[in-house]
Amino acid sequence: MENRKKVAFYTLGCKLNFSETSTIARSFNDEGFDRVDFEDVADIYVINTCSVTENADKQFKQVVKKAMKLNDKAFVAAVGCYAQLKPEELAAVDGVDLVLGATEKFKITDYIHDLSKNDMGEVHSCEIAEADFYVGSYSIGDRTRAFLKVQDGCDYKCTYCTIPLARGISRSDALENVLKNAKEISAQNIREIVLTGVNIGDYGKGEFGNKKHEHTFLDLVQALDKVEGIERLRISSIEPNLLKNETIEFVSKSRTFVPHFHIPLQSGSNDILKLMKRRYLREVYTDRVAKIREVMPHACIGVDVIVGFPGETDEHFLETYHFLNDLDISYLHVFTYSERDNTEAAEMEGVVPSNVRAKRSKMLRGLSVKKRRAFYESQLGTNRTVLFESENKEGYIHGFTENYVKVKTPWNPELVNTLQDINLTKIDEDGSVRIEFLNKLAEA
C-alpha cells in the first residue's frame, strides 16, 4: 500500500470555501488518495482560492511557494473563485499545473491524469453562465461544528463585488438533500451546524436547476429545526432585505437555531448604498435590528461594513460611524474597499486615497471593540449554554455561548465538544468571559 498518492488542501476565503474544500477532499479519498496536512510532503497540493480582496491574490502566491518548498515535484492545482475570474493569471504563477473554474472544481479528480509538472498551468474554466448546477457540500473541520452549504451563486449586481462573476447565478440545494447532509453531520457527533452560501436568504431559487422553486429560506429553517440529533444551528450571514420578520420570530422560538445573526450593512449612508446597488436603505436595517431586539433582547448581531468606497466623503463616513454607534449591535467586520477588475465600482469617480481608507477602517475597528465589550458586559450574570472547543490554549479551553459570547475556563479534556450550562461572571484581560458551571459535575 506504500504507493498511495498523498494530497493536501489549503483554503483561502470564506466558510463556503471550507465546506467545498471538504467535499473535494472526500472525492480524492474515493479515488484512493491519502489526505495529509498542507505542512506535509504531498504529491498534489490543491489550493481553493478567493477573489474578495486584493490580499487573497498575494496570499495565493505565498501558498504556492510554500507547497513548492515542501516538494518541488508536487502537482499544484488552483480551484475556486479567483481561478474562475483570472485563470490565466493563476496559471502563470510559477509551480501551478492546473487551474479549474467554478464548475470543474468538483470534478478535479477527472483532470489529474498524470501528475507530471506542466511548464505552464493548464486551464479549464467554463463560461460562468454554465455554472448553473448545484453541488452540495459540507465541511467537518473540527469536531464541534460543521459548515453546511445550502446555496451558491448570486443574482445581485452590487457594484463592488466579483462573486456573481466567480460563482454564477443563484441556485440552491434541494431541501431533501440539505436535510440528508444535516443528518449525516449530526450522526458524527457534531453539535453545531453553520448554514453557509453566497446569498443564503435567497434559498429556494434554482432548486430544480431553473428559476422555479418550491421552498423559501423560512421553509429550510423550519425543516432543519426538526432534524433529530442536531443541537445547534447557526445562520452565517444573511442580507437584511431577505431576513424576514417571520424568520426572526421563528428563530426566537426555535429548538435549535441560536440567537446570533450576521447581517451585511456595507454602509450607513443611503447615498453610498445606492452607489453600491444594495437592495435596501438603512431604514430597513434599523427595522431588522429592532425586530431582533424585540423578540431576542440577548441576541448577538454582527455587521459587515465597507470603508473607502468610491464617492465616500468624510460626511458619508461619519454618517456610517454615527449610524453604527447608535445601533444596538454586537460587533463589526470591517472591510477596506479594494478595486476589483470587471466591477462597476472600479470605474467610478471619487476614489478615496488609501491612507484615508486605512484611517476609516481603524476608526470602525475601534468601534467594534467598544461594541463587543458593551455586549459582553450586558451578558454578565446571565445563564447560558456553551459549546466547548477542542484546543488547549495556554492551559485554557474556550467555547462560544449560543449568543456568541467567547468564554474560557481552565483546561479540562472532558469538556471538549460538550454543551454545558454556565453563568457568565466577568470579562478577562484578553476580552473573553470567565464562567461558573451551573452543573457541579462539569467542574469535577
Side-chain angles (χ1 to χ4, degrees):
M1 292 304 285
E2 276 307 287
N3 58 358
R4 279 169 71 98
K5 297 271 189 229
K6 293 185 171 65
V7 61
F9 297 87
Y10 197 100
T11 306
L12 294 159
C14 64
K15 294 184 176 99
L16 181 57
N17 272 1
F18 278 93
S19 72
E20 291 180 344
T21 299
S22 287
T23 298
I24 293 166
R26 287 193 283 277
S27 72
F28 272 94
N29 210 13
D30 298 344
E31 296 285 329
F33 285 84
D34 287 330
R35 183 175 182 175
V36 296
D37 282 344
F38 203 84
E39 278 59 44
D40 297 337
V41 174
D43 301 290
I44 303 182
Y45 292 95
V46 179
I47 304 164
N48 196 352
T49 63
C50 167
S51 70
V52 173
T53 64
E54 225 173 338
N55 220 9
D57 313 357
K58 296 191 187 101
Q59 281 176 303
F60 173 74
K61 289 179 180 150
Q62 286 162 354
V63 177
V64 174
K65 213 176 257 176
K66 190 170 159 185
M68 291 285 83
K69 215 176 244 176
L70 289 162
N71 177 8
D72 60 4
K73 306 267 187 313
F75 190 90
V76 177
V79 302
C81 291
Y82 193 34
Q84 174 66 36
L85 287 177
K86 302 217 169 158
E88 280 75 21
E89 221 169 89
L90 290 195
V93 171
D94 212 15
V96 174
D97 300 293
L98 179 66
V99 179
L100 298 181
T103 63
E104 295 80 10
K105 63 188 171 194
F106 294 108
K107 300 177 275 196
I108 181 170
T109 51
D110 300 351
Y111 290 97
I112 299 173
H113 307 302
D114 64 343
L115 298 183
S116 51
K117 299 284 295 167
N118 297 325
D119 291 341
M120 173 80 184
E122 226 180 278
V123 173
H124 299 272
S125 81
C126 64
E127 284 303 315
I128 197 62
E130 292 167 25
D132 58 1
F133 62 89
Y134 185 86
V135 177
S137 305
Y138 60 84
S139 81
I140 298 180
D142 61 46
R143 283 194 301 180
T144 48
R145 69 174 56 84
F147 299 119
L148 171 60
K149 172 181 163 185
V150 299
Q151 182 275 342
D152 199 351
C154 189
D155 292 341
Y156 288 9
K157 301 282 186 284
C158 301
T159 53
Y160 52 81
C161 185
T162 54
I163 287 173
L165 301 171
R167 285 187 168 269
I169 58 170
S170 179
R171 52 209 190 275
S172 307
D173 205 350
L175 188 59
E176 67 223 39
N177 198 43
V178 174
L179 297 176
K180 178 179 85 69
N181 283 340
K183 284 174 187 141
E184 280 177 23
I185 293 168
S186 69
Q188 299 185 47
N189 196 24
I190 284 170
R191 310 278 186 194
E192 182 177 308
I193 294 178
V194 184
L195 303 185
T196 71
V198 173
N199 188 357
I200 63 172
D202 215 15
Y203 176 81
K205 201 185 268 188
E207 209 178 338
F208 304 106
N210 52 26
K211 289 295 174 202
K212 280 205 196 83
H213 63 93
E214 201 173 300
H215 299 105
T216 62
F217 184 67
L218 180 61
D219 296 335
L220 170 76
V221 165
Q222 289 169 332
L224 280 167
D225 197 47
K226 297 189 185 105
V227 175
E228 290 294 308
I230 298 176
E231 291 177 77
R232 270 189 184 183
L233 282 154
R234 204 178 286 278
I235 297 167
S236 64
S237 179
I238 183 165
E239 294 283 306
N241 49 309
L242 296 174
L243 177 57
K244 303 288 188 240
N245 284 347
E246 298 81 26
T247 305
I248 296 171
E249 298 261 353
F250 181 79
V251 168
S252 74
K253 301 183 184 77
S254 147
R255 179 181 71 87
T256 54
F257 276 89
V258 294
H260 175 206
F261 295 88
H262 193 92
I263 315 167
L265 168 69
Q266 311 311 14
S267 175
S269 158
N270 282 343
D271 294 347
I272 299 296
L273 288 172
K274 287 173 191 165
L275 283 174
M276 290 176 164
K277 290 195 178 163
R278 299 292 286 157
R279 299 202 174 188
Y280 54 86
L281 295 174
R282 58 188 252 165
E283 290 71 17
V284 169
Y285 203 93
T286 310
D287 289 350
R288 291 298 174 270
V289 172
K291 180 67 189 173
I292 293 168
R293 288 281 167 244
E294 177 201 324
V295 295
M296 289 171 272
H298 60 298
C300 179
I301 304 174
V303 184
D304 284 343
V305 61
I306 295 171
V307 296
F309 188 79
E312 184 185 64
T313 61
D314 285 345
E315 289 71 25
H316 290 133
F317 171 70
L318 287 173
E319 225 183 312
T320 296
Y321 187 92
H322 293 308
F323 179 70
L324 288 166
N325 193 29
D326 296 342
L327 210 54
D328 191 357
I329 50 138
S330 318
Y331 64 89
L332 304 171
H333 280 171
V334 185
F335 297 90
T336 305
Y337 171 74
S338 66
E339 285 77 2
R340 314 305 294 145
D341 288 348
N342 302 319
T343 58
E344 258 184 80
E347 311 295 316
M348 286 181 182
E349 291 172 3
V351 174
V352 178
S354 53
N355 61 328
V356 176
R357 296 183 207 186
K359 183 181 158 197
R360 289 176 186 173
S361 171
K362 197 173 172 185
M363 279 176 73
L364 283 183
R365 285 202 306 271
L367 179 62
S368 180
V369 171
K370 188 178 104 172
K371 287 282 182 185
R372 194 185 295 266
R373 176 97 193 178
F375 174 62
Y376 280 13
E377 280 174 358
S378 76
Q379 296 304 298
L380 294 179
T382 62
N383 294 343
R384 299 279 169 240
T385 306
V386 63
L387 172 58
F388 282 105
E389 297 183 345
S390 52
E391 215 179 327
N392 180 345
K393 287 186 185 163
E394 295 171 5
Y396 288 94
I397 185 168
H398 292 81
F400 284 93
T401 63
E402 66 275 32
N403 61 341
Y404 215 55
V405 174
K406 188 178 187 183
V407 308
K408 69 188 271 195
T409 197
W411 170 254
N412 173 354
E414 284 167 27
L415 292 174
V416 170
N417 198 29
T418 65
L419 286 156
Q420 300 287 344
D421 294 326
I422 51 106
N423 181 274
L424 299 167
T425 56
K426 68 174 203 293
I427 300 178
D428 207 46
E429 307 80 84
D430 65 2
S432 52
V433 178
R434 294 299 196 120
I435 57 174
E436 273 173 7
F437 289 95
L438 297 175
N439 164 2
K440 289 294 164 208
L441 288 175
E443 291 182 334

